Amino acid sequence: MNPEIPSCKRFTGYKPCYPDHNCWKDGCKDNTPIGKKILLINLDAMGDVLMTTAQLPGLKRKFPESTIFWVTLKNAAPLLMNNEYIDKVYAYDDETISVLKEMEFDYVLNVDKSQRSCALLNCVKADNKLGFGLNADGKIIPVNEGAYYNYNLGMDDHLKFKVNKRTGQDYLAETFELDYQNDEYVYNFTDEEKIFISDYRKSVGINDNDFVTGFNTGCSHLYPNKKMTIEQHIYLVEKLLAKNIGKILLLGGGTEDEERNSIIYSHFEGKIINTPAKLGVRKGACFESLADVIISGDSFGMHLGIALKKYIIAWFGVSCWTEINLYGRGIKLYQDDLFCSPCWKIKCPYNLECIRMIDLDKIISETENYYQNHFLKKEDARRNI
């Protein structure tokens, strides 16, 4: 009779975990129990993927002995690298779907209210399903009671735009039936990335005691009105340079921001730093890590800054400011008396008032206040150690 297949995280059935040791016939040399098998489905925007990482500590508190699998889009998969809570990341494609359909899970958790994610939840074998699935008519439905509030936010504009004060992490924890403890995003650099950051810092002349302001200038094509105009960014950079309080970085989320940042940089050539925009999300995170303050709209760059525990000055127009948790490190700017905001519209029928009304001078004063009241005090304390 064939030996039993080891129930160990390391065993693959393809090659031995240790040289010259047959785990199948001789048993595990260092058994790491699989425990509860949990699959997270999150195929939406990269910022949402980062925000969902805040659920991982709660999952591990509830299921300390567990194996966590995560399926996401190929462009977001690098964000989950080097994450101590995740055992396996799958990039969403036909091959992944065929593998997942053959596996059996204790829990499958779907974050997304989209047909493809809901269909994946439906077809995966699991004892417990949480979040969102599809009914027989192809309609998105909540599949557990904890998902009802989250689901209703999508159905009720008044609830979402005017009543709700809960952050996305709060109601997502409820969706997944987890104890919400204000857990933070989880993002870790590799040792190689830490060396890259140090080398790049030196190459562009940023000293350890320099105060650095980072401008996240773009946003995704899905919601193009989550970014300021080029003229607004030029105004902000000009005012901050006049304050003479440190270095300024232009940060890009990808090739779509390269032309935009080049135009801004052309007004201040040699006076600010224009970071590369084509090196991928992991390198983008390396560049963003250099900043002490991140100025951003509600975009991936904002979420990345939150994950990196930076001080965030974020402005909101089309999206809901209440759903974002800055963890006490930052300020949110929004027009509470603007009748049309938030709206989540891709095209604005009102001449983009929410963008034109951004308080640019407030952004300048908040940056200066952080420099005076936090950065300088921290530097003084560091020198006195």
Side-chain angles (χ1 to χ4, degrees):
M1 188 169 70
N2 289 332
E4 185 177 348
I5 298 296
S7 180
C8 171
K9 285 188 181 186
R10 292 190 178 90
F11 185 82
T12 65
Y14 172 66
K15 62 182 180 180
C17 305
Y18 293 91
D20 301 320
H21 180 80
N22 190 328
C23 303
W24 183 39
K25 290 186 176 180
D26 302 327
C28 280
K29 191 173 182 179
D30 181 20
N31 182 46
T32 305
I34 293 173
K36 296 290 186 184
K37 288 185 290 183
I38 302 168
L39 174 66
L40 268 161
I41 301 170
N42 196 179
L43 308 181
D44 281 349
M46 291 194 295
D48 289 340
V49 170
L50 273 178
M51 189 162 66
T52 301
T53 62
Q55 303 304 317
L56 293 170
L59 274 173
K60 277 297 184 182
R61 282 195 299 270
K62 187 171 183 177
F63 306 109
E65 191 170 279
S66 56
T67 301
I68 297 179
F69 305 84
W70 192 313
V71 57
T72 190
L73 296 184
K74 183 178 180 181
N75 66 339
L79 298 173
L80 305 175
M81 279 176 53
N82 204 36
N83 189 308
E84 67 271 26
Y85 295 100
I86 303 172
D87 295 278
K88 174 71 175 177
V89 177
Y90 289 100
Y92 179 78
D93 55 24
D94 290 342
E95 180 179 329
T96 287
I97 294 171
S98 68
V99 170
L100 294 177
K101 286 171 72 174
E102 295 303 316
M103 298 174 67
E104 295 180 1
F105 297 91
D106 295 288
Y107 286 84
V108 57
L109 288 59
N110 175 27
V111 179
D112 310 326
K113 290 177 234 178
S114 67
Q115 283 191 312
R116 63 182 175 184
S117 295
C118 292
L120 183 56
L121 176 134
N122 280 22
C123 73
V124 170
K125 296 186 284 289
D127 296 332
N128 303 278
K129 297 187 176 186
L130 306 174
F132 308 99
L134 290 183
N135 70 6
D137 295 325
K139 311 300 183 185
I140 298 166
I141 58 169
V143 297
N144 63 303
E145 188 174 346
Y148 286 1
Y149 183 82
N150 191 342
Y151 184 77
N152 200 32
L153 280 173
M155 295 291 98
D156 188 335
D157 283 350
H158 181 70
L159 174 64
K160 184 173 180 67
F161 296 155
K162 304 301 179 185
V163 176
N164 178 63
K165 303 300 179 187
R166 297 172 64 183
T167 65
Q169 293 95 313
D170 180 2
Y171 62 72
L172 186 56
E174 180 181 58
T175 301
F176 292 160
E177 300 176 359
L178 299 173
D179 179 28
Y180 177 62
Q181 294 188 18
N182 203 36
D183 295 299
E184 298 226 18
Y185 298 19
V186 182
Y187 186 93
N188 301 311
F189 289 115
T190 65
D191 290 339
E192 292 80 6
E193 287 169 334
K194 291 175 184 176
I195 293 170
F196 175 85
I197 292 167
S198 178
D199 290 345
Y200 184 80
R201 174 188 287 271
K202 293 173 185 174
S203 73
V204 295
I206 298 176
N207 299 317
D208 289 342
N209 59 348
D210 280 335
F211 178 71
V212 180
T213 302
F215 281 90
N216 173 48
T217 63
C219 62
S220 74
H221 294 304
L222 184 60
Y223 290 102
N225 296 326
K226 283 187 175 185
K227 59 179 180 284
M228 294 185 196
T229 65
I230 288 174
E231 291 73 24
Q232 284 171 312
H233 277 113
I234 290 171
Y235 175 88
L236 288 171
V237 171
E238 193 170 64
K239 292 292 184 181
L240 279 178
L241 283 174
K243 298 285 183 182
N244 194 29
I245 58 173
K247 304 288 175 64
I248 293 175
L249 293 178
L250 298 182
L251 303 164
T255 54
E256 66 272 12
D257 300 325
E258 188 175 34
E259 181 180 356
R260 180 181 176 83
N261 283 3
S262 293
I263 295 171
I264 298 169
Y265 180 74
S266 68
H267 288 74
F268 309 100
E269 193 162 348
K271 298 179 181 179
I272 64 175
I273 300 165
N274 187 16
T275 64
K278 289 183 176 180
L279 301 182
V281 294
R282 297 290 305 190
K283 284 295 192 293
C286 291
F287 300 132
E288 190 154 338
S289 74
L290 297 171
D292 298 286
V293 169
I294 303 293
I295 298 170
S296 179
D298 176 15
S299 64
F300 169 67
M302 178 198 71
H303 286 286
L304 186 55
I306 295 170
L308 297 174
K309 297 180 173 55
K310 302 299 180 180
Y311 190 84
I312 309 295
I313 301 174
W315 62 271
F316 295 80
V318 301
S319 56
C320 301
W321 65 271
T322 54
E323 296 184 347
I324 300 302
N325 188 350
L326 299 180
Y327 298 97
R329 297 184 299 269
I331 185 172
K332 305 175 195 177
L333 304 179
Y334 53 90
Q335 289 77 46
D336 204 22
D337 57 348
L338 191 60
F339 80 97
C340 58
S341 177
C343 68
W344 283 105
K345 285 183 168 62
I346 296 174
K347 292 185 178 180
C348 175
Y350 301 112
N351 198 28
L352 292 174
E353 283 189 73
C354 61
I355 294 177
R356 292 190 295 106
M357 292 174 64
I358 299 170
D359 191 341
L360 302 181
D361 292 327
K362 178 72 170 176
I363 291 175
I364 298 297
S365 64
E366 284 297 326
T367 304
E368 191 173 23
N369 285 342
Y370 182 79
Y371 171 71
Q372 297 287 350
N373 298 323
H374 296 275
F375 181 80
L376 288 181
K377 290 180 180 179
K378 184 177 71 174
E379 282 299 298
D380 288 342
R382 185 177 65 83
R383 291 190 188 100
N384 292 328
I385 291 176

